[in-house]
Amino acid sequence: SLQKRFGPLVGSIDESSNCARFFIFAAETAEMLTYHQTDIKTIYPKEGWIEQNPIEILNAVRNCIEIAVENLKELDIDPADIQTIGITNQRETVIVWDKFTGEPLYNAVVWMDIRNTEIVQHFISKSKRNNLEFLKPICGLPISTYFSALKLRWLIDNIPEVKKAVIEKRCLFGNIDSWLIWNLTGGINNGVHVTDVTNASCTMLMNLSSLKWDPVLLRFFDIPLEILPNIRSSSEIYGYVLDKLLHGVPISGCLGDQQAALVGQMCFKKGQIKNTYGTSCFLLYNTGKTKIYSDHGLLTTVAYQFGPKSQPMYALEGSVSVAGTALSWLKNNLNIFEDFNNLPRLPPKSSTDLYFVPAFCGLNAPYWCPEARSVMFGLNENTQKSDILRATLEAICYQTRDLLEALAKDCGESCVRKLLIDGNMACNDYLMQLLADIIGVPVVRPIMTETTALGAAIAAGSAEGIKVWDVDKVQPSPSDVFHPLISKNERDLKYYKWKMAVNKSLDWEI
Ligand code: G3P
């Protein structure tokens, strides 16, 4: 029967910055059988404030599971073959909720939100010589608006409901992974309150060596330990689904979405590197068992830990907050094009010298400057919509080059021989060719670009007690390769001008 043909199945929840999705994979072939996606609204109450409704997120996930399971039945495949579920999620985003009622105490504060800028300044000033990197030896991260610790601090300081719940010991904190796992495993009825090492490493509260909440960090940010989830590995059984649908199915994989993409791209070897192009863009470079601390604006993070007794693998990360968002802005606010999948044809060479730095919420890696402002440099009376579109696509590529330059300084000139890419913008051939031209190494795109969901499924399927997925045997999917076509001189000159534009963006003082 068809059921036999596909063997054990693994589900994967992928909750990203703008939508929830549920995928179902066949473990034997890594084939994606079906999925469903539900969009999630983002709320912008004030400049720099970015929120989502935690209940909407949860309902969207449940809705995706329901419809994907329906799809599966229509394919004549038995949903009972789903042996386990993995979760991957937008990282750093903070949810606080009441453990007795299950109600969120505030909206989710999304990772891009910069309302805590003042608190960040306060904490930086507590360090010697205003050094924002002084906690890096413990957690691998600079003090920034981005990480969960300071978003949580803001909530406790500014939302009386949250403060009260903390004092009355009713408050639970989590990133999206913890919120989903807690709810799916029963919520107020003994839901498990856990996170994994990759998500925890983006909170700025975990010690990168012990993989535990760090007492020095908790004291520094004044965060009570009892509100935090238990930190577990990325691949083990955390609990069992209590919902009617998929009742009793274990949840056995959990990874932040960028780490999941690294796994889904099969970057299990030291030196392998991927970049995911979505609303934002995130580059992860596998550094194996070694933690490398960047002197050039990259983060040190846990790449994955497959099982509680396994060695954690580490990565260097470059996070760029605006990539696809800049294109959405062109589409929605400026009406420059209608459909990302059908962008207007652009000439292979640019006719103008236009540079656009889309610093919509400051600049993250490698600059870490929340005060940076967007600039467009080189406008003239001949500038067309198409020039602005091209400058925006190029900005995505230059930002990638910024990260690769930082990586080369940290790990050696020739550390990157090719770049594996994924994310929804990776489907655009024109952008991928620009990227290869600007970074000067081949860009490799797998045919199956849902690597994030695949990564979480692999983690779930290879957990102790499940073992339907043998990590060593999963083959990377076939890929398209884009080779650089412009000369080194041309690429370097263009990049030099980009850096000049970035300097203008950084130099914004009131
Ligand atoms: O660090 C934030 C990141 O995990 C968000 O990823 O794909 O949801 O934009 P994405």
Side-chain angles (χ1 to χ4, degrees):
S1 76
L2 280 171
Q3 279 160 250
K4 278 212 184 91
R5 218 180 80 205
F6 289 104
L9 309 181
V10 180
S12 179
I13 296 170
D14 179 359
E15 201 292 316
S16 72
S17 307
N18 44 20
C19 64
R21 296 185 293 172
F22 184 64
F23 294 81
I24 302 170
F25 292 94
E28 275 161 24
T29 55
E31 183 184 352
M32 197 249 286
L33 302 175
T34 185
Y35 81 98
H36 185 74
Q37 166 170 337
T38 303
D39 290 345
I40 290 168
K41 268 200 300 301
T42 301
I43 310 157
Y44 303 94
K46 289 187 192 176
E47 194 186 339
W49 290 36
I50 307 183
E51 301 178 3
Q52 287 174 341
N53 178 342
I55 300 290
E56 185 185 339
I57 292 175
L58 180 62
N59 289 342
V61 166
R62 286 186 162 136
N63 178 254
C64 290
I65 295 178
E66 197 178 312
I67 298 181
V69 166
E70 277 309 312
N71 295 345
L72 201 64
K73 286 186 198 152
E74 272 167 32
L75 294 169
D76 271 332
I77 307 171
D78 187 353
D81 288 348
I82 300 178
Q83 303 220 339
T84 190
I85 294 177
I87 293 190
T88 179
N89 55 290
Q90 51 167 316
R91 308 160 308 163
E92 295 98 10
T93 299
V94 170
I95 301 183
V96 279
W97 68 96
D98 184 313
K99 68 171 141 188
F100 299 115
T101 65
E103 291 295 322
L105 297 162
Y106 193 77
N107 272 338
V109 178
V110 176
W111 59 274
M112 286 169 274
D113 188 296
I114 52 171
R115 75 183 65 190
N116 54 4
T117 307
E118 266 176 38
I119 309 187
V120 169
Q121 286 314 325
H122 163 76
F123 279 101
I124 293 175
S125 68
K126 279 173 74 174
S127 72
K128 273 196 204 131
R129 287 189 294 276
N130 280 341
N131 173 12
L132 59 94
E133 302 214 314
F134 85 111
L135 297 171
K136 247 184 161 179
I138 311 179
C139 59
L141 311 174
I143 300 184
S144 150
T145 53
Y146 180 29
F147 309 108
S148 313
L150 288 167
K151 293 186 156 68
L152 181 55
R153 188 67 259 148
W154 186 91
L155 283 167
I156 301 174
D157 289 344
N158 292 278
I159 306 296
E161 245 313 284
V162 177
K163 188 174 197 161
K164 193 156 175 272
V166 169
I167 293 169
E168 292 171 2
K169 305 214 180 300
R170 290 183 283 114
C171 180
L172 295 181
F173 152 87
N175 296 123
I176 304 283
D177 58 323
S178 305
W179 168 245
L180 293 177
I181 297 176
W182 187 80
N183 277 289
L184 294 174
T185 58
I188 52 174
N189 299 310
N190 288 326
V192 289
H193 190 214
V194 292
T195 186
D196 92 300
V197 285
T198 65
N199 276 293
S201 73
C202 304
T203 59
M204 202 162 188
L205 296 171
M206 189 185 81
N207 183 307
L208 270 187
S209 303
S210 68
L211 305 183
K212 298 211 167 14
W213 300 121
D214 186 88
V216 172
L217 298 174
L218 295 187
R219 216 172 314 124
F220 184 74
F221 293 115
D222 190 17
I223 302 291
L225 178 66
E226 68 268 13
I227 73 172
L228 304 179
N230 288 321
I231 304 177
R232 310 276 286 268
S233 79
S234 321
S235 175
E236 60 180 278
I237 298 176
Y238 312 107
Y240 298 84
V241 176
L242 209 80
D243 289 16
K244 220 155 101 204
L245 198 62
L246 301 184
H247 189 92
V249 174
I251 301 175
S252 62
C254 181
L255 293 151
D257 55 8
Q258 303 310 321
Q259 285 86 344
L262 190 77
V263 169
Q265 288 267 24
M266 315 295 160
C267 291
F268 294 120
K269 288 204 196 97
K270 195 172 168 168
Q272 288 180 316
I273 178 168
K274 72 89 206 178
N275 203 356
T276 302
Y277 295 89
T279 48
S280 37
C281 114
F282 299 90
L283 175 139
L284 260 74
Y285 177 77
N286 186 332
T287 61
K289 293 173 190 159
T290 324
K291 296 186 280 296
I292 296 182
Y293 292 97
S294 172
D295 292 322
H296 302 96
L298 301 177
L299 314 174
T300 310
T301 189
V302 180
Y304 51 86
Q305 185 198 18
F306 269 37
K309 295 196 192 88
S310 306
Q311 269 250 303
M313 297 294 153
Y314 293 93
L316 273 171
E317 167 169 340
S319 338
V320 168
S321 50
V322 172
T325 308
L327 283 173
S328 307
W329 177 72
L330 294 192
K331 175 172 164 285
N332 301 333
N333 295 31
L334 306 190
N335 298 322
I336 282 187
F337 66 90
E338 276 175 14
D339 176 10
F340 175 73
N341 295 317
N342 208 357
L343 284 185
R345 273 194 169 277
L346 294 174
K349 289 230 182 266
S350 169
S351 52
T352 55
D353 226 6
L354 187 65
Y355 290 83
F356 173 31
V357 182
F360 293 170
C361 38
L363 286 174
N364 282 0
Y367 306 103
W368 299 105
C369 180
E371 293 85 22
R373 289 292 177 271
S374 303
V375 289
M376 208 175 277
F377 211 65
L379 288 165
N380 63 36
E381 67 276 19
N382 290 326
T383 305
Q384 304 291 327
K385 283 181 172 181
S386 59
D387 298 314
I388 296 179
L389 173 58
R390 187 184 168 105
T392 307
L393 293 171
E394 285 185 343
I396 294 168
C397 307
Y398 291 128
Q399 294 191 92
T400 305
R401 173 134 177 206
D402 283 343
L403 302 177
L404 293 175
E405 296 273 325
L407 195 60
K409 288 185 198 137
D410 284 327
C411 300
E413 276 307 321
S414 55
C415 69
V416 176
R417 299 193 177 275
K418 63 179 178 187
L419 179 66
L420 306 184
I421 51 96
D422 51 51
N424 59 1
M425 278 201 301
C427 63
N428 187 301
D429 287 3
Y430 183 84
L431 175 63
M432 293 300 108
Q433 185 56 52
L434 267 185
L435 180 63
D437 289 345
I438 289 172
I439 64 174
V441 293
V443 166
V444 180
R445 176 180 64 194
I447 304 286
M448 208 296 280
T449 49
E450 296 300 346
T451 50
T452 304
L454 179 62
I458 290 174
S462 52
E464 193 68 45
I466 310 282
K467 290 263 183 272
V468 295
W469 219 316
D470 184 347
V471 176
D472 297 327
K473 290 204 186 122
V474 204
Q475 292 299 318
S477 100
S479 47
D480 297 316
V481 184
F482 299 83
H483 292 279
L485 296 177
I486 65 173
S487 71
K488 180 171 180 333
N489 280 351
E490 192 180 343
R491 130 175 2 114
D492 288 349
L493 179 62
K494 284 160 83 67
Y495 183 63
Y496 180 76
K497 292 186 186 169
W498 158 261
K499 291 292 278 188
M500 293 200 320
V502 167
N503 286 335
K504 302 274 177 220
S505 158
L506 295 172
D507 194 20
W508 177 260
E509 296 241 8
I510 300 170

PDB file of all heavy atoms in Angstrom, residues 400-416:
ATOM      1  N   THR A 400      25.776  40.421   2.802  1.00  0.00           N
ATOM      2  CA  THR A 400      26.359  39.086   2.923  1.00  0.00           C
ATOM      3  C   THR A 400      27.878  39.189   2.843  1.00  0.00           C
ATOM      4  O   THR A 400      28.607  38.551   3.587  1.00  0.00           O
ATOM      5  CB  THR A 400      25.841  38.176   1.792  1.00  0.00           C
ATOM      6  OG1 THR A 400      24.428  38.187   1.816  1.00  0.00           O
ATOM      7  CG2 THR A 400      26.364  36.764   1.942  1.00  0.00           C
ATOM      8  N   ARG A 401      28.344  40.043   1.924  1.00  0.00           N
ATOM      9  CA  ARG A 401      29.798  40.196   1.811  1.00  0.00           C
ATOM     10  C   ARG A 401      30.376  40.769   3.109  1.00  0.00           C
ATOM     11  O   ARG A 401      31.461  40.363   3.538  1.00  0.00           O
ATOM     12  CB  ARG A 401      30.134  41.083   0.611  1.00  0.00           C
ATOM     13  CG  ARG A 401      31.602  41.414   0.561  1.00  0.00           C
ATOM     14  CD  ARG A 401      32.229  41.272  -0.786  1.00  0.00           C
ATOM     15  NE  ARG A 401      33.625  41.682  -0.718  1.00  0.00           N
ATOM     16  CZ  ARG A 401      34.315  42.135  -1.739  1.00  0.00           C
ATOM     17  NH1 ARG A 401      33.740  42.232  -2.921  1.00  0.00           N
ATOM     18  NH2 ARG A 401      35.579  42.475  -1.598  1.00  0.00           N
ATOM     19  N   ASP A 402      29.660  41.714   3.736  1.00  0.00           N
ATOM     20  CA  ASP A 402      30.116  42.242   5.034  1.00  0.00           C
ATOM     21  C   ASP A 402      30.380  41.089   6.010  1.00  0.00           C
ATOM     22  O   ASP A 402      31.380  41.071   6.727  1.00  0.00           O
ATOM     23  CB  ASP A 402      29.037  43.138   5.662  1.00  0.00           C
ATOM     24  CG  ASP A 402      28.954  44.525   5.030  1.00  0.00           C
ATOM     25  OD1 ASP A 402      29.901  44.934   4.337  1.00  0.00           O
ATOM     26  OD2 ASP A 402      27.921  45.188   5.255  1.00  0.00           O
ATOM     27  N   LEU A 403      29.455  40.128   6.017  1.00  0.00           N
ATOM     28  CA  LEU A 403      29.587  39.005   6.957  1.00  0.00           C
ATOM     29  C   LEU A 403      30.768  38.123   6.573  1.00  0.00           C
ATOM     30  O   LEU A 403      31.535  37.672   7.433  1.00  0.00           O
ATOM     31  CB  LEU A 403      28.306  38.167   6.983  1.00  0.00           C
ATOM     32  CG  LEU A 403      27.018  38.904   7.347  1.00  0.00           C
ATOM     33  CD1 LEU A 403      25.820  37.976   7.252  1.00  0.00           C
ATOM     34  CD2 LEU A 403      27.118  39.492   8.756  1.00  0.00           C
ATOM     35  N   LEU A 404      30.923  37.881   5.274  1.00  0.00           N
ATOM     36  CA  LEU A 404      32.022  37.020   4.828  1.00  0.00           C
ATOM     37  C   LEU A 404      33.380  37.686   5.068  1.00  0.00           C
ATOM     38  O   LEU A 404      34.363  37.012   5.381  1.00  0.00           O
ATOM     39  CB  LEU A 404      31.849  36.660   3.347  1.00  0.00           C
ATOM     40  CG  LEU A 404      30.641  35.767   3.049  1.00  0.00           C
ATOM     41  CD1 LEU A 404      30.475  35.563   1.551  1.00  0.00           C
ATOM     42  CD2 LEU A 404      30.754  34.413   3.743  1.00  0.00           C
ATOM     43  N   GLU A 405      33.416  39.013   4.953  1.00  0.00           N
ATOM     44  CA  GLU A 405      34.671  39.727   5.233  1.00  0.00           C
ATOM     45  C   GLU A 405      35.029  39.550   6.714  1.00  0.00           C
ATOM     46  O   GLU A 405      36.174  39.321   7.067  1.00  0.00           O
ATOM     47  CB  GLU A 405      34.519  41.225   4.943  1.00  0.00           C
ATOM     48  CG  GLU A 405      34.250  41.556   3.497  1.00  0.00           C
ATOM     49  CD  GLU A 405      35.518  41.713   2.659  1.00  0.00           C
ATOM     50  OE1 GLU A 405      36.517  42.213   3.190  1.00  0.00           O
ATOM     51  OE2 GLU A 405      35.486  41.311   1.476  1.00  0.00           O
ATOM     52  N   ALA A 406      34.009  39.667   7.571  1.00  0.00           N
ATOM     53  CA  ALA A 406      34.250  39.502   9.013  1.00  0.00           C
ATOM     54  C   ALA A 406      34.734  38.079   9.288  1.00  0.00           C
ATOM     55  O   ALA A 406      35.693  37.867  10.054  1.00  0.00           O
ATOM     56  CB  ALA A 406      32.969  39.790   9.791  1.00  0.00           C
ATOM     57  N   LEU A 407      34.106  37.132   8.645  1.00  0.00           N
ATOM     58  CA  LEU A 407      34.475  35.729   8.848  1.00  0.00           C
ATOM     59  C   LEU A 407      35.913  35.473   8.399  1.00  0.00           C
ATOM     60  O   LEU A 407      36.680  34.771   9.072  1.00  0.00           O
ATOM     61  CB  LEU A 407      33.503  34.857   8.046  1.00  0.00           C
ATOM     62  CG  LEU A 407      33.463  33.392   8.375  1.00  0.00           C
ATOM     63  CD1 LEU A 407      33.065  33.173   9.823  1.00  0.00           C
ATOM     64  CD2 LEU A 407      32.450  32.689   7.464  1.00  0.00           C
ATOM     65  N   ALA A 408      36.288  36.064   7.281  1.00  0.00           N
ATOM     66  CA  ALA A 408      37.650  35.874   6.767  1.00  0.00           C
ATOM     67  C   ALA A 408      38.664  36.431   7.764  1.00  0.00           C
ATOM     68  O   ALA A 408      39.735  35.844   7.973  1.00  0.00           O
ATOM     69  CB  ALA A 408      37.791  36.544   5.411  1.00  0.00           C
ATOM     70  N   LYS A 409      38.303  37.546   8.412  1.00  0.00           N
ATOM     71  CA  LYS A 409      39.238  38.126   9.393  1.00  0.00           C
ATOM     72  C   LYS A 409      39.344  37.229  10.620  1.00  0.00           C
ATOM     73  O   LYS A 409      40.399  37.091  11.217  1.00  0.00           O
ATOM     74  CB  LYS A 409      38.772  39.528   9.804  1.00  0.00           C
ATOM     75  CG  LYS A 409      38.965  40.553   8.694  1.00  0.00           C
ATOM     76  CD  LYS A 409      38.617  41.941   9.199  1.00  0.00           C
ATOM     77  CE  LYS A 409      38.370  42.875   8.028  1.00  0.00           C
ATOM     78  NZ  LYS A 409      37.213  43.735   8.224  1.00  0.00           N
ATOM     79  N   ASP A 410      38.226  36.608  10.994  1.00  0.00           N
ATOM     80  CA  ASP A 410      38.245  35.747  12.187  1.00  0.00           C
ATOM     81  C   ASP A 410      38.852  34.372  11.912  1.00  0.00           C
ATOM     82  O   ASP A 410      39.498  33.786  12.776  1.00  0.00           O
ATOM     83  CB  ASP A 410      36.814  35.532  12.721  1.00  0.00           C
ATOM     84  CG  ASP A 410      36.285  36.741  13.470  1.00  0.00           C
ATOM     85  OD1 ASP A 410      37.099  37.437  14.111  1.00  0.00           O
ATOM     86  OD2 ASP A 410      35.080  36.989  13.410  1.00  0.00           O
ATOM     87  N   CYS A 411      38.604  33.827  10.733  1.00  0.00           N
ATOM     88  CA  CYS A 411      38.936  32.412  10.503  1.00  0.00           C
ATOM     89  C   CYS A 411      39.898  32.185   9.334  1.00  0.00           C
ATOM     90  O   CYS A 411      40.167  31.047   8.983  1.00  0.00           O
ATOM     91  CB  CYS A 411      37.665  31.608  10.240  1.00  0.00           C
ATOM     92  SG  CYS A 411      36.517  31.668  11.596  1.00  0.00           S
ATOM     93  N   GLY A 412      40.382  33.240   8.727  1.00  0.00           N
ATOM     94  CA  GLY A 412      41.344  33.067   7.627  1.00  0.00           C
ATOM     95  C   GLY A 412      40.721  33.338   6.281  1.00  0.00           C
ATOM     96  O   GLY A 412      39.552  33.013   6.059  1.00  0.00           O
ATOM     97  N   GLU A 413      41.533  33.913   5.397  1.00  0.00           N
ATOM     98  CA  GLU A 413      41.068  34.382   4.085  1.00  0.00           C
ATOM     99  C   GLU A 413      40.292  33.335   3.290  1.00  0.00           C
ATOM    100  O   GLU A 413      39.303  33.618   2.660  1.00  0.00           O
ATOM    101  CB  GLU A 413      42.263  34.849   3.244  1.00  0.00           C
ATOM    102  CG  GLU A 413      42.692  36.279   3.517  1.00  0.00           C
ATOM    103  CD  GLU A 413      41.544  37.278   3.406  1.00  0.00           C
ATOM    104  OE1 GLU A 413      40.701  37.111   2.507  1.00  0.00           O
ATOM    105  OE2 GLU A 413      41.484  38.212   4.238  1.00  0.00           O
ATOM    106  N   SER A 414      40.809  32.083   3.324  1.00  0.00           N
ATOM    107  CA  SER A 414      40.202  31.116   2.400  1.00  0.00           C
ATOM    108  C   SER A 414      39.202  30.195   3.103  1.00  0.00           C
ATOM    109  O   SER A 414      38.976  29.071   2.679  1.00  0.00           O
ATOM    110  CB  SER A 414      41.302  30.292   1.742  1.00  0.00           C
ATOM    111  OG  SER A 414      42.080  29.715   2.772  1.00  0.00           O
ATOM    112  N   CYS A 415      38.628  30.680   4.219  1.00  0.00           N
ATOM    113  CA  CYS A 415      37.750  29.774   4.973  1.00  0.00           C
ATOM    114  C   CYS A 415      36.438  29.485   4.241  1.00  0.00           C
ATOM    115  O   CYS A 415      35.761  28.518   4.531  1.00  0.00           O
ATOM    116  CB  CYS A 415      37.506  30.283   6.385  1.00  0.00           C
ATOM    117  SG  CYS A 415      36.521  31.758   6.458  1.00  0.00           S
ATOM    118  N   VAL A 416      36.072  30.328   3.294  1.00  0.00           N
ATOM    119  CA  VAL A 416      34.816  30.084   2.576  1.00  0.00           C
ATOM    120  C   VAL A 416      35.091  29.810   1.101  1.00  0.00           C
ATOM    121  O   VAL A 416      35.616  30.667   0.394  1.00  0.00           O
ATOM    122  CB  VAL A 416      33.873  31.304   2.706  1.00  0.00           C
ATOM    123  CG1 VAL A 416      32.611  31.095   1.883  1.00  0.00           C
ATOM    124  CG2 VAL A 416      33.516  31.524   4.162  1.00  0.00           C
TER     125      VAL A 416
END
